[in-house]
Amino acid sequence: MNDKAAAVQIKGDTYFLTTFVGSVVAADRQQSTVVSHTTNANGYSSSTSSTHTQDRLFLVSDEGKEEVFEFTGIHVNAREGHRVRVGWMSRRSHSRGSCVFVQNLSTGEHRLIEQGIRSEVTPLASLPDWAFLAALILMGLMAVPTLGLSFVPFIWFKMKVGSRTAEAMKVLSDRVARA
């Protein structure tokens, strides 16, 4: 079912799940490490590092169409010759959205991509954590005169994000397992 969108209902909203099936003609993995150094006013120095892994698959469909897919932060077990299905989700049937799963048809292994799911079903959830912290501080400042009522929308939003993401993961897991 290459490039055909199937409608998926999540919490009353319609999303389109599009898949591409092909044989792996090339696969590679790249790792990068980011190191940060900070020094405070007292001269205390600290370092942090984080390593990011990016898998890239080049797939060719039975019809000869070639696509490349990149996956950050998840390990894709696939090698040349394996048959792989990749799915992405969007609000419009012909647009390319975030990858939400990758399934190795040769081995039977599949992975849901939570970050891709979250970014599609709750677009604001893909904002970095500092944006939520800034919103929390702003709401805290507003809470003083309003006796804390400004935290209600924030708490509601965070609960809704988790609920939508969990529902989307369940729906997609069921759909991938059936196909």
Side-chain angles (χ1 to χ4, degrees):
M1 144 169 125
N2 282 346
D3 295 325
K4 293 182 183 170
V8 177
Q9 292 290 320
I10 298 170
K11 295 282 187 179
D13 292 329
T14 301
Y15 297 89
F16 294 92
L17 181 63
T18 307
T19 60
F20 184 88
V21 178
S23 296
V24 178
V25 293
D28 63 35
R29 169 171 295 136
Q30 297 178 355
Q31 289 188 331
S32 61
T33 302
V34 178
V35 179
S36 303
H37 300 282
T38 57
T39 305
N40 67 12
N42 296 328
Y44 176 75
S45 180
S46 66
S47 299
T48 60
S49 67
S50 59
T51 301
H52 304 281
T53 303
Q54 184 174 29
D55 284 358
R56 189 168 46 180
L57 296 179
F58 294 84
L59 304 178
V60 176
S61 70
D62 292 338
E63 299 81 29
K65 182 178 179 185
E66 184 170 345
E67 291 275 351
V68 61
F69 296 96
E70 294 181 355
F71 306 95
T72 302
I74 66 162
H75 180 59
V76 179
N77 290 319
R79 62 175 174 77
E80 289 184 33
H82 280 189
R83 298 277 296 160
V84 173
R85 182 167 64 132
V86 176
W88 60 92
M89 201 163 65
S90 63
R91 289 214 179 241
R92 291 175 300 284
S93 64
H94 295 293
S95 66
R96 187 83 174 238
S98 299
C99 283
V100 294
F101 75 85
V102 58
Q103 181 178 27
N104 187 328
L105 300 171
S106 299
T107 65
E109 180 182 16
H110 75 274
R111 300 209 189 285
L112 293 178
I113 305 169
E114 185 174 351
Q115 182 59 33
I117 294 168
R118 184 180 296 120
S119 69
E120 287 301 322
V121 299
T122 56
L124 291 177
S126 62
L127 291 174
D129 288 339
W130 64 262
F132 287 110
L133 180 61
L136 182 63
I137 291 169
L138 181 61
M139 284 190 274
L141 292 172
M142 293 170 40
V144 173
T146 61
L147 301 174
L149 293 177
S150 62
F151 283 106
V152 172
F154 181 75
I155 293 168
W156 174 83
F157 176 74
K158 287 301 278 181
M159 288 173 49
K160 189 162 182 81
V161 165
S163 172
R164 291 180 72 82
T165 302
E167 175 71 15
M169 289 186 71
K170 180 185 178 309
V171 168
L172 291 172
S173 182
D174 292 345
R175 182 163 297 248
V176 170
R178 280 194 316 237

